[in-house]
Each structure stands twice: as C-alpha cells, then as structure tokens.
Amino acid sequence: MIRISRLFTSTAIATMIVIPATAEISADDVWNGFTAYYNAFGLTVDATETRTGNRLTISNLKLSAQFPFDLGSFILTTTGLDLIENADGTVDIIAPESLPLAVAITLPEDVFVTTTVDYRLTGYQARVAGDPDEFTITSRLARADVELGALSITGPKAKDLDFDGTFTLAARDISGETEYTIGDLLVITQDSQMGALAMNGSFTGKDARQGDMQTTMSSTMSDVQSSTRISVLATGIDLMNLPAQLRDGMSIQYASKVRQQTSSQRVTVNGNMVSDQSTNIGKSSSTVGLSKDGAWMKIQADDYAIDYTLPELPFPIRMVASEIIGKFSGPLLKSDDDQEFVYMFDISNLKIADDLWNQFDPDAVLPRDPARLLVDLSGTVRLFADLLDFNALRDAIDNGTKVAELTGLTLNGMDISAAGAQLTGTGAFTFDNSDKTTFQGLPAPSGTASLQMSGLNAMMDNLIKMGLLENDAAFGMRMGLGLFTVAGDGDDTLVSDIEVKPDGQVLANGKRIK
C-alpha cells in the first residue's frame, strides 16, 4: 500500500530546486507518465480527470491488480491529486495533507480482507521539469505519517484467520530527486534522503492450540540515504516470463545507507512472554540487485548489538559485534559457459555477555577473547535452466534432470576464532562432473587447500578441565588430527596441506591418505 502511493507522492521525495526549464511538459504528460508506470507494474488505473484552466485534477483514483498464480486480487482507492502547469513549462504536484487509502484484498477460498490507511503529508512540495518522454521531479516533505486503520477479514475461512493489528509510520525531513524515462523500456531513477523514520506495530491473533498471541514491534532509523533504479518493459512485468524480460533489459537496483537504527519485538501468548528481542545497529549499508547478469546482495553493519530474552533464562542473551558483512552474487540465466558466484560472511569481534559464559564456564577456564567468523567463497557454476523459469524448474524436478552443476570452488579466506583456538585456510578446486564414481556420486574434485590451526590442544585441555570433554574422546580427536596435520612453527600450531589429484589420490602434507 505504501509503495503504491509513493508513485504519485513520495516517489519523488526531493529538495525543492527551481531549475529553468529547457523543455515543456504538461499536466497530462505527467499523469500519462505515471499511468504508464502503473500499467508496467501490472496495475489497472481508473480515475476521474478534470481540466480547469492550467489545473488537472485527478480524483476517485482506483488501482487494481490480480495476484500471480491465481492467489487473488486487490483494489486500492484514494482521493487523488492536482497537477498545475506553470508559465515556465514546469508542473507542480499538489497532494492533499490527508490522503485516505482504502484497500480490499480477495484471497483464495473466498477470503476477503479490507482495511484503511491514513496517509498524512506535511509541507509537501513537488515540481516536474522536462519533456513528456523524460522528466525529473524534485520535491521535499517535512513529515509523512501513515496509520493503518481497522482490519476486517471475512469469508468461510475467516475463523482460521482471526487477526487484527495496528501500525504507524512517521518520517521527517524527506528530500530527493526522481527521473522518469518513458519508451519501450521504462526507467525510474530515484535518489532520496530522510532525516528520521519511526515505525510501531501491534498485531494480535488467536490460535486454537496456543490461545491469544500478540506481537508488538518498533524500529527507528536516522539519516537514511537511498538510491533506486528500476527498468521494466513498457508491456509490463510478466512473472511467468521473467528470464526473457531480464534478457530484454529489465533490472532492479537498490542501495541504502543508515547512520543509526534500532528495533524491538516482543511476543506473548495469553499474556505470558515468549520472547523479547531488541537490536541496535550503528552505521549500515546495503545493496541489492537483479538483472540479466544475475542477482546480488551486500549488507554491512557496524556496532551490531542484540539482546534476546527467553522465559527459561533469568537474564537476556546479549551479543555484540564490531562489524558484520554479508555478500552474495550469482547467475540466474542459463548459459553454455561457466558463470561466477560469490558467497561471503564475516562477523568481527563477536562478544557474548558474561552471564551466558558463566552458565557453562563459571570459572572462566576458556579465554573470552572476541570471536571471528569469516568464510569467503567464490566459484563457477553452469546453469542448464533459467532459475526464474518456474515451469522449466518444475519440469526438471519432475523429470529428475539437473538444473545446475558446480565446476569450480575457491576458498579465498577462512578465519574461525573462538575460545582461544583459531582455524584459517585458503584453497581452490575444480570439479569433473563427468566422473561421479571416484568420490561415490560426487563430482571428482582436483586442487589444493592449506589449513592452519592454533590453540586447539589447549582448548581441548580446557574442555577436559571443565568436564565437557572426556580424555578418551580428546585422545581420539588428537589421533585423527595427526592423520592429516603436522606441527607448525609456533607453539600449539598445526598445519595441513591437502591436495586432491585428478586421478582421485588425496595427499595430506605429501602423504597419500586415499
């Protein structure tokens, strides 16, 4: 609901800048441009258009769409907006201070959901400049408030969906710029800034087995910057034909930066607390995208802290990390050639509160130094089907044909450090998918890996001292390590150089173990 309304209000949330127009655009051109984007996203537009001099009034606006896969439909209705043509060839967008939205959703098995949304705008200003095929909106908004109204669920299955809730959103100091390009490919590019955002929600439901359940949540963000670029075909998004549309230029890219954010969530059943969680994050950034080149995502957060309370524990579980990084990219479309993928996560300086440590190590036998969890992988795969071709994937599953095969894997880096022990390593392997007998059904690998371990023997000694590890078990572990490791240069260090040859031989530090 909020995303839809942004197309004619806060899609163009930007600082009001009056630039001499180099071309002229009419109110009708602006509305036709908006309508083209609604249609491209599968929305049907119905509205009353009234022309009075230089003013075009859009009223009784209704947006409707069918959900994919016969999952239902929805209708959104609202009052509308005014478009006023200026003498310099620009157009001002005038939105009412209160923009009520009514939403009706039809779901399978004749379930009907209705609600209202009160969208209030304070200090909204917007101006359009350009020509009918390419125009820019600059605007600013002092404050936006969104409040969810009463939620009604009716129909034969409504008793199974006994659910209600409240939700509010408040944003302030919003500004930015949005560019529209209209042609065979419709492109919208938006850069926006927001001073602060606060969301609060409370949702209740009844469960036949557990009883009354309630979830309350809240979150805040400050100094939010975002950048969005969406390219869609003018003929509209076709979820059943996404591979062809990606090849024809469809793409989505989004990036954001946040200076500070907090969140909390509490769940109760029959008034009794089930879980209580709060999170604080310092500076963070994220990027996500989808195109013919594949899908990608990267998330980075500094000073991450989480507190999690369970009724079974007398204290909250608290964990903090100085930095968390997650990265993924991979192909979506089939190709005769190998395609690259990346998977990496890195949690630095992870600390656990002493209350939790003391539950299993009250005498502080284990070192409580900050931990690190780093796994950095890349490689190549070959796709035999488009991963977004749902019919092809279904046929592959039904027929038992393979969709993809792994052809190469590189361990760019690994660092697992905790409780005084550390494991690091690198490596690279290729895979022969025509040979699945040498390694009992798996593609035959060839390549090398180098691993280094430190503090492992001391950690096992400490676990024995704590009573968490038996002497016999520790002896067996040390014997097993001796098969593929040798002593390193430092105290309590082990190294292992593993080589897998094309003929299936496996060597550890030059000695054949397979």
Side-chain angles (χ1 to χ4, degrees), residues 394-457:
R394 182 190 59 198
D395 292 341
I397 294 173
D398 292 342
N399 298 327
T401 57
K402 64 181 177 181
V403 174
E405 63 182 20
L406 180 67
T407 57
L409 182 64
T410 299
L411 177 61
N412 301 298
M414 177 177 64
D415 186 347
I416 302 175
S417 308
Q422 183 181 41
L423 170 64
T424 60
T426 57
F429 294 88
T430 59
F431 297 89
D432 181 0
N433 286 272
S434 66
D435 178 5
K436 293 190 177 181
T437 59
T438 304
F439 286 85
Q440 300 179 351
L442 298 175
S446 62
T448 61
S450 179
L451 304 175
Q452 301 82 39
M453 290 161 273
S454 64
L456 193 57
N457 283 301

Side-chain angles (χ1 to χ4, degrees), residues 153-222:
I153 304 176
T154 60
K157 298 288 186 179
K159 65 179 184 301
D160 299 326
L161 298 169
D162 192 351
F163 176 85
D164 199 0
T166 61
F167 176 81
T168 61
L169 178 149
R172 61 175 177 81
D173 300 332
I174 310 165
S175 64
E177 186 172 275
T178 304
E179 297 179 0
Y180 288 76
T181 303
I182 300 173
D184 293 338
L185 197 66
L186 306 181
V187 182
I188 179 171
T189 303
Q190 181 187 84
D191 294 302
S192 67
Q193 303 81 39
M194 181 166 50
L197 174 69
M199 294 181 287
N200 292 279
S202 178
F203 303 94
T204 59
K206 291 184 181 294
D207 185 278
R209 292 172 298 177
Q210 295 183 328
D212 295 336
M213 301 180 65
Q214 182 176 38
T215 300
T216 58
M217 60 185 70
S218 65
S219 66
T220 64
M221 296 183 185
S222 61

